[in-house]
Amino acid sequence: MRIVLLGAPGAGKGTQAKFICEKYNIPHISTGDMVRAAVSKGSELGKQVKGYIDKGELVPDSTIIDLIKERLKEDDCKFGFLLDGFPRTIAQAEALDVLLDELTLKLTCVLDFDVPKEVLLERILKRASKSGGEKRSDDNEEIIEKRIKVYTEQTLPLSAYYKDKGLLKTVKAGTLDVLEVKEMIFKLL
Ligand code: AMP
């Protein structure tokens, strides 16, 4: 299984990614987790990307594409992988196509999470107010609005991109709860 998850911030991608990766025994590759880890470590990459993350903007394509190029060549990706939060722009999707061609691999499908904006906002704010766990620097109302706008402008066009390739499967998550969405996804896969 080689799966891409598409969907706005707060759509539930991370939660569902865990269920899918457990079932199919594939690595969960989240570019958001990768860049946050770099920031926590204080690495050179972390220093480069922190400003973008804190403002709710996308990190430059070339930086993220380089990260993914390295990651997909690792051994644990041999039998499949799930990409969560990548690609986020048409340029990233095109770079992924080139990379997969080089590796003679094809995507199995792209799951596109369809969730109304009100639900997204409510969920992220809830996540931000939860005690315990690490609080994300970009989970506050102003930045969330920005992240949703960036998603609409730069990432939403990917639905049409993958639909044209016959890879898109829409997850009509709406206001359904986590387990209902999980069941829906397992039926789609
Ligand atoms: P996420 O956890 O996927 O919501 O990502 C958090 C932040 O990391 C985003 O707001 C971006 O600043 C950065 N980021 C994660 N993935 C990408 C990507 N594919 N392209 C550009 N920036 C990204």
Side-chain angles (χ1 to χ4, degrees):
M1 280 275 181
R2 282 176 291 273
I3 304 171
V4 167
L5 300 189
L6 271 188
K13 300 189 298 297
T15 305
Q16 297 299 332
K18 292 198 177 72
F19 296 136
I20 299 167
C21 290
E22 206 169 289
K23 174 159 180 188
Y24 293 101
N25 201 17
I26 50 177
H28 174 195
I29 302 176
S30 156
T31 44
D33 286 349
M34 289 164 89
V35 290
R36 276 188 294 277
V39 172
S40 303
K41 260 204 292 188
S43 66
E44 201 42 53
L45 171 70
K47 286 179 197 145
Q48 281 172 32
V49 299
K50 186 172 187 326
Y52 296 102
I53 299 174
D54 288 349
K55 279 188 263 176
E57 289 171 6
L58 293 185
V59 168
D61 286 332
S62 58
T63 307
I64 290 286
I65 290 166
D66 285 350
L67 271 182
I68 285 289
K69 268 190 187 158
E70 288 311 307
R71 185 64 187 88
L72 291 189
K73 286 176 186 159
E74 283 177 33
D75 273 354
D76 63 340
C77 293
K78 275 208 180 108
F79 304 107
F81 51 79
L82 178 143
L83 295 174
D84 167 8
F86 178 91
R88 282 264 231 294
T89 63
I90 295 284
Q92 291 180 17
E94 288 172 348
L96 177 62
D97 285 345
V98 172
L99 179 62
L100 291 175
D101 269 350
E102 279 169 20
L103 299 169
T104 59
L105 296 174
K106 281 195 184 332
L107 288 177
T108 311
C109 68
V110 175
L111 295 176
D112 190 12
F113 286 62
D114 187 6
V115 176
K117 189 182 166 192
E118 310 75 66
V119 179
L120 300 173
L121 269 174
E122 193 188 297
R123 280 211 197 127
I124 308 185
L125 288 173
K126 213 160 143 197
R127 175 166 88 192
S129 66
K130 261 194 197 153
S131 55
E134 210 172 307
K135 194 170 180 313
R136 285 177 54 156
S137 58
D138 57 352
D139 273 353
N140 64 70
E141 195 152 1
E142 183 197 340
I143 302 298
I144 293 160
E145 289 274 5
K146 176 76 186 285
R147 284 161 58 208
I148 293 174
K149 183 165 178 275
V150 166
Y151 166 78
T152 309
E153 289 172 1
Q154 303 198 53
T155 309
L156 204 56
L158 291 183
S159 303
Y161 181 90
Y162 285 119
K163 191 168 185 215
D164 284 351
K165 291 181 181 286
L167 287 170
L168 198 78
K169 292 183 193 237
T170 305
V171 181
K172 295 196 180 65
T175 53
L176 298 180
D177 70 26
V178 170
L179 292 179
E180 288 168 325
V181 177
K182 177 182 172 190
E183 204 172 303
M184 182 183 280
I185 289 175
F186 285 167
K187 276 191 194 139
L188 284 171
L189 285 175

